[in-house]
């Protein structure tokens, strides 16, 4: 069976890990990003698995370019079954220290890029009555933190946008699925590419996970659609903690997350700003925090093996019930 996926931002970071994971599971994958070398390298990895790949060079903030890319996918690979919106660019720094044009650029890519991708996907999927869009969200779409106002604002906007689209599809009785997979901090190249006003090298908020953790969750949701999925224990704690006490979350973020997003020990590493133009070359999936990143978590195992986990719980409950019944009869 041929299954065709599009991954935006698929040349590096989480997107690159997602491309690899989908290809390993038997998907044909079109890789959409701005840098030619990155998309070519990602497509070569897809083809090495025996699947078909397609390199697409486009800026997702350009709606016409995204539509043209979607047309190419359907002409060369076939109807799009899965569209993963995962592209982002970032600016690190306090809001008033960030140039307005840089802030707007980050929003145009990270939020409107999702809007453009979703429109391109749904305009083809809805008439066919099938397909699946996966939005790569973030814990920061529910809890804003200092130094990342543009990114947090974009991820919050994606939540509201996606909920609106889902409700419209439900009202229409459409069989097209839209899922959101919310990520924790990941060890991706993002933290070497952001435009930064910080005195020290940017870093993810601990705990940090490897991008493959997120990629496996995306692939699991692609194959067994769920409307919302949280990835990593820290995402669960962040979202629930903010719901329980937003005031405490404000205080905690103010006290810990300015220094917590800076890595003085990485100050010798060069930052390459990709806000307006792609960084040349092939950069793979991982950033510079391999030594502190987790490759696995119990919560993400559950996301990937939900049926098995539910079966284990059911069996355990059944065993406890049987023991209680026997014990009751012996009395």
């Amino acid at each position: 069976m041929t299954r065709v996926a599009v991954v935006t931002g698929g040349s590096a970071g989480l997107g690159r890990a997602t491309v690899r994971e989908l290809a390993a599971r038997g998907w044909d994958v079109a890789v959409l990003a701005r840098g030619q070398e990155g998309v070519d390298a990602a497509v070569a990895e897809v083809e090495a698995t025996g699947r078909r790949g397609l390199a697409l060079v486009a800026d997702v903030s350009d709606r016409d370019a995204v539509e043209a890319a979607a047309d190419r996918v359907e002409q060369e690979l076939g109807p799009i079954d899965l569209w993963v919106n995962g592209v982002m660019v970032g600016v690190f720094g306090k809001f008033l220290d960030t140039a307005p044009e840089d802030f707007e650029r980050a929003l145009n890519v990270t939020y409107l890029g999702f809007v453009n991708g979703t429109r391109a996907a749904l305009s083809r999927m809805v008439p066919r009555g099938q397909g699946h869009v996966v939005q790569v969200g973030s814990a920061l779409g529910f809890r804003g933190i200092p130094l990342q106002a543009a990114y947090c604002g974009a991820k919050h906007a994606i939540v509201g946008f996606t909920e609106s689209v889902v409700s419209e599809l439900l009202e229409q009785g459409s069989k097209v699925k839209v899922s959101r997979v919310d990520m924790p901090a990941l060890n991706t190249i993002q933290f070497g590419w952001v435009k930064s006003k910080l005195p020290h090298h940017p870093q993810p908020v601990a705990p940090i996970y490897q991008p493959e953790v997120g990629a496996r969750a995306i692939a699991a949701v692609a194959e067994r659609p769920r409307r919302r999925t949280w990835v990593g224990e820290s995402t669960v704690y962040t979202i629930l903690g903010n719901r329980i006490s937003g005031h405490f979350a404000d205080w905690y973020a103010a006290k810990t997350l300015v220094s917590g997003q800076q890595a003085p020990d990485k100050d010798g590493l060069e930052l390459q700003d990709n806000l307006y133009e792609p960084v040349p070359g092939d950069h793979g999936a991982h950033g510079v925090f391999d030594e502190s990143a987790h490759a696995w978590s119990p919560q993400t195992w559950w996301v990937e093996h939900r049926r098995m986990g539910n079966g284990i719980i059911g069996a355990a409950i059944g065993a406890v019930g049987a023991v209680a019944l026997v014990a009751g009869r012996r009395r």
Side-chain angles (χ1 to χ4, degrees):
M1 179 180 66
T2 299
R3 298 181 297 174
V4 175
V6 178
V7 180
T8 72
S11 64
L14 173 61
R16 182 65 166 272
T18 301
V19 168
R20 293 169 177 168
E21 185 68 26
L22 290 172
R25 295 180 182 223
W27 292 80
D28 295 336
V29 187
V31 183
L32 190 156
R34 293 176 299 167
Q36 187 72 60
E37 293 168 289
V39 294
D40 286 345
V43 165
E45 292 181 341
V46 173
E47 292 174 343
T49 69
R51 305 309 307 175
R52 296 180 302 161
L54 180 63
L56 302 167
V57 176
D59 185 328
V60 294
S61 68
D62 181 341
R63 177 170 51 83
D64 291 337
V66 175
E67 291 290 342
D71 284 340
R72 274 197 64 198
V73 176
E74 300 229 320
Q75 291 163 7
E76 299 185 35
L77 297 182
I80 298 167
D81 301 294
L82 172 68
W83 186 292
V84 180
N85 282 311
V87 72
M88 62 82 60
V89 294
V91 286
F92 266 53
K94 293 182 179 179
F95 171 61
L96 291 181
D97 294 337
T98 303
E101 60 270 23
D102 290 348
F103 198 96
E104 291 170 10
R105 170 64 178 168
L107 290 178
N108 285 341
V109 173
T110 309
Y111 171 53
L112 291 182
F114 275 57
V115 173
N116 293 337
T118 302
R119 181 184 288 110
L122 293 183
S123 64
R124 290 159 176 81
M125 293 174 179
V126 169
R128 293 195 289 258
Q130 61 183 13
H132 187 190
V133 176
V134 174
Q135 315 282 43
V136 179
S138 171
L140 302 187
F142 300 86
R143 171 65 245 174
I145 62 175
L147 308 181
Q148 293 199 61
Y151 181 79
C152 294
K155 289 300 185 182
H156 273 73
I158 287 164
V159 171
F161 165 70
T162 301
E163 290 174 347
S164 180
V165 170
V166 166
S167 65
E168 291 175 4
L169 292 173
L170 289 173
E171 188 275 334
Q172 297 168 22
S174 175
K175 294 182 180 180
V176 175
K177 306 295 184 184
V178 179
S179 301
R180 196 185 66 241
V181 185
D182 297 312
M183 296 294 163
L186 299 172
N187 173 37
T188 71
I189 195 67
Q190 165 193 353
F191 297 92
W193 282 356
V194 293
K195 187 169 185 178
S196 177
K197 305 286 288 186
L198 305 182
H200 300 295
H201 194 288
Q203 74 170 12
V205 177
I208 305 168
Y209 297 87
Q210 295 288 25
E212 289 79 12
V213 173
R216 291 194 298 269
I218 290 170
V221 169
E223 296 183 337
R224 296 186 297 277
R226 299 181 70 251
R227 201 164 295 162
R228 301 176 187 87
T229 299
W230 298 343
V231 179
E233 293 88 343
S234 57
T235 299
V236 176
Y237 300 153
T238 298
I239 295 173
L240 294 181
N242 193 60
R243 289 178 182 176
I244 293 168
S245 179
H247 287 296
F248 174 79
D250 290 340
W251 174 86
Y252 181 82
K255 289 293 184 181
T256 66
L257 296 186
V258 172
S259 61
Q261 293 184 83
Q262 300 184 66
D265 61 311
K266 305 291 186 184
D267 284 350
L269 300 177
E270 181 183 4
L271 278 177
Q272 298 178 299
D273 168 13
N274 80 332
L275 186 59
Y276 294 96
E277 299 293 336
V279 177
D282 173 29
H283 300 272
H286 286 211
V288 298
F289 299 96
D290 277 332
E291 74 281 357
S292 55
H294 304 286
W296 180 85
S297 82
Q299 190 273 341
T300 53
W301 182 92
W302 194 271
V303 168
E304 296 170 56
H305 304 89
R306 190 174 305 275
R307 292 179 181 176
M308 182 188 299
N310 289 341
I312 292 171
I313 287 181
I317 292 173
V320 170
V323 170
L325 181 61
V326 170
R329 287 177 176 173
R330 289 179 177 175
R331 290 179 182 175

